[in-house]
Amino acid sequence: MLLWVGLAVLVVIIAIIVVLCSYMRGEFYFSRVKDNDTLSVEMRGLFGLVRYRYVIPIIQFKGFTQGILIKSEKVTKQSAKLKDETKEHITKDKVIAFYEEAKDVLVHTLNLYGWMKMTLAKVECTELKWITRVGLGDAPETAITTGAVWGIKSSLLGFTIRYVKLIAKPRIDVIPQYNEKQFATEFRFAGRIRVWFAVTAGIRLLYRAAKIKGGIRTWIQFALKARARFKPAS
């Protein structure tokens, strides 16, 4: 009897170790071709058994009063199966409200910037692709704009290398279109972090929030408000 109990405990311990040593993987994708925008965020864990995908197929600027209309979709592990659909207007007031909430979280967390820097250091970038096509219909203007876009990309790439471990060769390019007016871009960032590092990062975050009076309550309120923003449309 004791032998079977010992074996069961050993199996559970090995399973926990395997899970903690596995990776949580995430992917951010954005593309714009003419007036068509697509943005998606995907998270995977437990060797692909757990999967969450958030897609925004429609982004429309409705004017300064109505802001930006975003249609989003949540899908299950079978990407063709729609789970929830949401329509959201992002207005100036909502952006200001979110900024105030984020600032409140920053105040109620001990050295949040240090926590973010420490956590990002454990993230491994497995894919970085950013291809942009630029054309203004005029060769000199297109050449100048191409150089400016290269400068922006170089700065952002430097930021990524500074905070995240890059283990894949980045594919960065700006392709000038001298004979037509065009702007198209495709951006993909894929990264991973071990479950153990993610768990310890969460524990550190709770500890830092608990060190400030009202920190835990502030984070709970922030999470509830964020969830309410993305509830499915009726």
Side-chain angles (χ1 to χ4, degrees):
M1 181 67 180
L2 291 177
L3 177 62
W4 288 108
V5 172
L7 287 175
V9 172
L10 180 61
V11 170
V12 171
I13 292 175
I14 293 175
I16 293 175
I17 293 175
V18 170
V19 169
L20 291 177
C21 292
S22 66
Y23 284 104
M24 291 178 58
R25 302 177 185 272
E27 180 181 296
F28 176 89
Y29 175 82
F30 174 77
S31 71
R32 177 177 178 83
V33 180
K34 295 183 179 179
D35 295 329
N36 298 320
D37 297 318
T38 300
L39 187 151
S40 67
V41 179
E42 183 174 350
M43 300 295 295
R44 301 188 303 276
L46 294 179
F47 307 100
L49 296 177
V50 178
R51 181 179 177 184
Y52 176 84
R53 191 163 181 254
Y54 188 77
V55 182
I56 300 178
I58 296 178
I59 305 174
Q60 295 178 345
F61 181 68
K62 307 293 286 187
F64 291 101
T65 56
Q66 298 185 46
I68 300 174
L69 172 64
I70 289 180
K71 177 184 176 182
S72 59
E73 300 172 352
K74 284 193 295 184
V75 295
T76 59
K77 186 176 180 181
Q78 293 76 26
S79 59
K81 184 177 179 181
L82 178 65
K83 184 178 180 181
D84 291 322
E85 183 176 284
T86 307
K87 288 184 179 180
E88 174 75 11
H89 276 96
I90 299 180
T91 62
K92 181 183 70 173
D93 293 337
K94 290 184 179 180
V95 172
I96 294 174
F98 178 81
Y99 170 76
E100 294 296 333
E101 293 167 9
K103 188 168 64 173
D104 194 32
V105 167
L106 180 63
V107 171
H108 286 86
T109 308
L110 180 64
N111 192 12
L112 181 59
Y113 174 76
W115 173 86
M116 292 179 61
K117 186 176 179 181
M118 185 184 304
T119 304
L120 287 175
K122 301 298 183 180
V123 176
E124 298 177 348
C125 175
T126 57
E127 182 181 3
L128 180 58
K129 175 184 177 183
W130 193 0
I131 308 297
T132 304
R133 299 178 183 273
V134 179
L136 299 179
D138 179 78
E141 292 182 0
T142 298
I144 294 173
T145 305
T146 299
V149 174
W150 263 118
I152 295 173
K153 288 190 175 187
S154 299
S155 299
L156 293 176
L157 181 60
F159 173 84
T160 303
I161 296 175
R162 179 181 177 185
Y163 291 99
V164 178
K165 185 178 180 181
L166 189 63
I167 62 175
K169 184 178 180 180
R171 298 168 57 192
I172 311 295
D173 198 4
V174 181
I175 304 173
Q177 306 291 305
Y178 293 109
N179 299 323
E180 60 180 323
K181 293 183 178 180
Q182 180 185 7
F183 178 81
T185 188
E186 180 185 11
F187 177 83
R188 185 188 303 273
F189 177 92
R192 66 185 185 183
I193 183 173
R194 291 197 182 273
V195 173
W196 167 251
F197 292 140
V199 171
T200 55
I203 295 174
R204 290 195 189 101
L205 181 61
L206 289 175
Y207 174 77
R208 289 171 183 263
K211 294 287 287 184
I212 306 296
K213 184 178 179 180
I216 299 294
R217 184 178 67 253
T218 301
W219 271 100
I220 293 175
Q221 292 174 349
F222 180 78
L224 291 176
K225 290 179 180 178
R227 183 177 181 180
R229 289 190 184 97
F230 297 101
K231 64 182 180 180
S234 57

